[in-house]
């Protein structure tokens, strides 16, 4: 029986891996200039972490987690997102006593049991940042602008739209939830079963329901922005005015509540203009650290779907082929060790060198040199007795007999 990859997973290689490396290089650079430090956490965590951290009534926890009992009988879950994991690490490693704010970034694979679509996989990669220890909307600005600068660096800024909203604090949300429930009550029996549960347990989640019949009922539902308290309102105004001053365009989308339970105040998404899906989503989560058992700590962050970023870049990146600086064609097996010593020295000097391990004819070797786009070929034959080799320039086919010396060969290549 042929063994194939699992549904929702992919092998990434060839031109695709170039796009990934390009994105990852830009992420590293941007996190460095914005002074964020990398964190790596385990792929699996206690299931309880996500139940508490992401929220019981979310799609992620309800339907999408890869959960199993390990051989010791513990309930384990493959991380479906990383904020909960980073918060766990923040608490467990006592980072609250480090210099504040604590600014972390991660890039990692996530696992969700999802229905496959374009840009939706069961194993996918997120780049994310978490900014701990600032209550101020200025931290929200730091987080939103980091994503903005990354889109600029990747030449994607015209392909995405920033949408923002405020979902208020716990206090102002209480009032809103009452109003929302009042509005929905007469139509509750027409909503999906999940929404009926959400109505009791977490009514805000209903706004995020993907079923049409629920969305139709919600079309004229009261908006949270009309119920937020004075402090939340003034923070949101300050945030918008700062974005205006920075010349960062945005739209206020009163429907964003975000798929995860832990957000409050600012929420935002960067939406792909072409595909309509979110490529980056985040917000403020001032209660999460406390919920997971730490001291009360304000925080804000985002998660960016890199697989979706790849889709946006696919059509705009050049197919740049890797080239090889020099290829060694060894015609006499006895001279292989001399050739290999030279090859290793050249590689130490940061020169891209290829040498054959296949026993093939001189013509086959030259054909191969062409295929791998070698700029030069070094032919090692009888002349090595006089400490010479032939270097062929593959662009103009000129050949020269030269000294078999490291400096000489480097000078030709450079
Ligand atoms: P959606 O509404 O698209 O399901 P979400 O609210 O579940 O998104 P988050 O949990 O906020 O998404 O994750 C942050 C980002 O990670 C998303 O904006 C998206 O770019 C990406 N993402 C989420 N799920 C997937 C997936 N299954 N495959 C690829 N990328 C994903
Ligand atoms: Mg989802």
């Amino acid at each position: 029986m042929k063994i194939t990859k699992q549904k929702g997973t992919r092998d990434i290689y060839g031109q695709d891996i170039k796009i990934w490396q390009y994105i990852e290089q830009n992420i590293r650079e941007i996190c460095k200039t914005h002074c964020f430090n990398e964190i790596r956490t385990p792929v699996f965590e206690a299931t309880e972490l996500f139940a508490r951290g992401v929220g019981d009534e979310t799609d992620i926890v309800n339907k999408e987690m890869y959960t199993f009992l390990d051989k010791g009988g513990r309930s384990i879950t493959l991380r479906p997102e990383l904020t909960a994991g980073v918060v766990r690490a923040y608490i467990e490693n006592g980072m609250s006593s480090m210099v504040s704010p604590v600014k972390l970034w991660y890039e990692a694979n996530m696992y969700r049991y999802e229905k496959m679509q374009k840009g939706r996989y069961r194993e996918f990669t997120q780049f994310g940042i978490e900014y701990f220890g600032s209550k101020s909307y200025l931290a929200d600005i730091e987080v939103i602008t980091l994503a903005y600068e990354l889109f600029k660096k990747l030449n994607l800024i015209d392909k995405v739209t920033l949408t923002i909203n405020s979902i208020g604090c716990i206090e102002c949300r209480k009032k809103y939830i009452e109003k929302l429930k009042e509005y929905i009550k007469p139509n509750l029996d027409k909503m999906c079963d999940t929404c009926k549960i959400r109505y009791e347990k977490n009514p805000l989640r209903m706004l995020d329901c993907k079923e049409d019949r629920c969305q139709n009922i919600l079309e004229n539902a009261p908006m949270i922005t009309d119920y937020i308290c004075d402090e939340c309102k003034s923070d949101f105004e300050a945030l918008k005015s700062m974005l205006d001053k920075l010349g960062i365009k945005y739209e206020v989308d009163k429907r964003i509540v975000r798929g995860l339970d832990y957000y409050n105040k600012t929420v935002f998404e960067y939406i792909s203009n072409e595909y309509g899906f979110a490529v980056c989503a985040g917000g403020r989560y001032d209660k999460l650290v406390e919920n997971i058992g730490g001291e009360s700590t304000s925080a804000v962050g985002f998660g960016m779907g890199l697989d979706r970023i790849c889709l946006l870049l696919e059509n705009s990146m050049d197919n740049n082929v890797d080239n090889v600086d020099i290829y060694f064609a060894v015609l006499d097996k006895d001279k292989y060790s001399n050739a290999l010593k030279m090859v290793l020295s050249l590689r130490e000097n940061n020169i891209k060198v290829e040498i054959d391990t296949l026993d093939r004819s001189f013509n086959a070797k030259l054909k191969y040199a062409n295929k791998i786009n070698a700029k030069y070929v070094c032919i090692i034959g009888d002349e090595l007795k006089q400490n010479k080799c032939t270097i062929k320039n593959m662009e103009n086919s000129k050949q020269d007999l030269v000294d078999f010396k490291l400096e000489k060969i480097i000078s030709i290549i450079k």
Side-chain angles (χ1 to χ4, degrees):
M1 196 183 68
K2 200 165 95 186
I3 300 173
T4 57
K5 61 181 177 300
Q6 293 296 300
K7 209 173 176 177
T9 66
R10 285 148 307 142
D11 303 311
I12 302 168
Y13 59 95
Q15 192 55 36
D16 290 342
I17 206 75
K18 302 256 162 62
I19 301 180
W20 278 93
Q21 288 170 345
Y22 168 73
I23 296 171
E24 285 165 357
Q25 187 196 334
N26 279 292
I27 286 174
R28 290 202 150 69
E29 284 169 16
I30 216 101
C31 289
K32 206 176 202 177
T33 54
H34 289 240
C35 306
F36 279 76
N37 293 309
E38 187 177 0
I39 181 165
R40 299 187 192 187
T41 68
V43 171
F44 58 88
E45 298 269 3
T47 303
E48 175 64 15
L49 174 67
F50 303 110
R52 249 205 276 170
V54 180
D56 279 338
E57 293 320 309
T58 57
D59 278 354
I60 294 181
V61 173
N62 263 340
K63 304 182 200 158
E64 297 172 359
M65 295 206 303
Y66 280 89
T67 299
F68 57 94
L69 291 182
D70 74 3
K71 289 189 166 53
R74 306 170 191 88
S75 181
I76 298 287
T77 294
L78 301 186
R79 59 183 172 217
E81 59 95 63
L82 219 107
T83 299
V86 171
V87 168
R88 193 229 5 98
Y90 175 88
I91 298 168
E92 194 167 340
N93 298 293
M95 291 188 211
S96 60
S97 57
M98 285 166 48
V99 181
S100 185
V102 172
K103 297 164 66 181
L104 301 171
W105 72 271
Y106 60 80
E107 187 207 322
N109 286 2
M110 312 288 156
Y111 301 87
R112 295 185 193 176
Y113 195 76
E114 299 235 40
K115 281 206 192 93
M116 290 277 302
Q117 292 163 32
K118 198 168 182 79
R120 189 177 294 283
Y121 313 98
R122 291 184 175 174
E123 181 185 61
F124 63 98
T125 304
Q126 274 185 4
F127 156 58
I129 65 170
E130 314 294 354
Y131 191 122
F132 292 100
S134 171
K135 279 202 292 209
S136 166
Y137 75 93
L138 293 173
D140 307 15
I141 290 283
E142 283 283 294
V143 166
I144 292 173
T145 53
L146 187 144
Y148 188 83
E149 292 299 319
L150 181 60
F151 287 124
K152 256 178 35 191
K153 243 168 126 66
L154 295 172
N155 277 323
L156 290 176
I157 200 67
D158 297 329
K159 300 196 169 182
V160 296
T161 301
L162 169 63
T163 56
I164 59 171
N165 193 19
S166 172
I167 56 171
C169 58
I170 310 292
E171 284 314 308
C172 46
R173 239 187 296 175
K174 272 188 201 150
K175 250 193 311 181
Y176 170 68
I177 287 169
E178 262 170 46
K179 291 282 170 202
L180 183 65
K181 285 179 85 170
E182 236 169 67
Y183 168 85
I184 285 170
K185 201 169 183 186
N187 288 310
L188 185 60
D189 54 335
K190 296 191 200 103
M191 297 188 89
C192 73
D193 289 345
T194 319
C195 276
K196 281 178 193 144
I197 301 171
R198 287 171 176 150
Y199 183 85
E200 296 304 333
K201 286 197 171 172
N202 191 343
L204 214 55
R205 279 275 70 73
M206 291 189 290
L207 296 173
D208 215 33
C209 183
K210 299 209 164 69
E211 299 238 358
D212 285 342
R213 55 178 162 155
C214 300
Q215 278 308 322
N216 290 342
I217 293 167
L218 288 163
E219 202 162 298
N220 297 311
M223 290 293 176
I224 192 150
T225 14
D226 299 329
Y227 292 87
I228 60 178
C229 65
D230 289 345
E231 191 198 313
C232 289
K233 204 174 271 171
S234 76
D235 271 357
F236 192 48
E237 289 309 315
L239 178 89
K240 288 190 288 184
S241 127
M242 183 60 87
L243 289 174
D244 289 336
K245 283 178 194 150
L246 294 171
I248 295 179
K249 287 197 206 99
Y250 60 87
E251 288 169 13
V252 175
D253 179 353
K254 296 183 175 181
R255 296 222 81 94
I256 317 180
V257 290
R258 303 288 312 112
L260 290 69
D261 255 5
Y262 47 61
Y263 288 104
N264 64 293
K265 288 194 169 174
T266 310
V267 287
F268 67 92
E269 294 184 342
Y270 283 89
I271 306 289
S272 154
N273 301 335
E274 185 180 352
Y275 296 105
F277 52 47
V279 289
C280 174
R284 179 162 277 285
Y285 53 93
D286 294 327
K287 292 284 171 217
L288 184 61
V289 180
E290 219 173 317
N291 281 354
I292 295 183
E295 292 161 33
S296 167
T297 308
S298 299
V300 50
F302 69 66
M304 189 180 282
L306 296 189
D307 308 80
R308 294 184 184 179
I309 303 285
C310 280
L311 286 175
L312 302 195
L313 282 171
E314 249 169 28
N315 305 327
S316 62
M317 256 180 76
D318 298 338
N319 268 30
N320 60 333
V321 222
D322 261 341
N323 49 24
V324 168
D325 293 321
I326 187 161
Y327 165 72
F328 273 59
V330 185
L331 304 186
D332 178 353
K333 273 190 214 157
D334 293 342
K335 314 227 161 57
Y336 197 87
S337 63
N338 296 59
L340 191 52
K341 270 188 213 156
M342 181 63 77
V343 166
L344 292 175
S345 305
L346 286 165
R347 285 173 176 165
E348 272 175 35
N349 281 277
N350 251 334
I351 291 170
K352 292 186 272 179
V353 192
E354 186 62 290
I355 182 166
D356 242 334
T357 56
L358 275 67
D359 195 10
R360 48 181 155 190
S361 72
F362 181 56
N363 270 346
K365 284 184 198 292
L366 278 189
K367 244 190 214 164
Y368 173 70
N370 257 323
K371 277 209 182 114
I372 60 171
N373 280 311
K375 285 185 243 164
Y376 293 93
V377 174
C378 178
I379 304 159
I380 311 278
D382 259 357
E383 304 83 1
L384 200 65
K385 281 185 204 139
Q386 285 87 48
N387 221 16
K388 303 254 178 204
C389 63
T390 304
I391 301 235
K392 179 174 171 138
N393 181 327
M394 295 298 279
E395 258 167 40
N396 55 21
S397 294
K398 269 195 194 150
Q399 280 188 199
D400 282 314
L401 192 65
V402 304
D403 288 343
F404 188 65
K405 280 216 176 91
L406 181 66
E407 298 72 33
K408 181 68 196 167
I409 299 178
I410 291 178
S411 75
I412 293 173
I413 294 169
K414 292 199 163 151

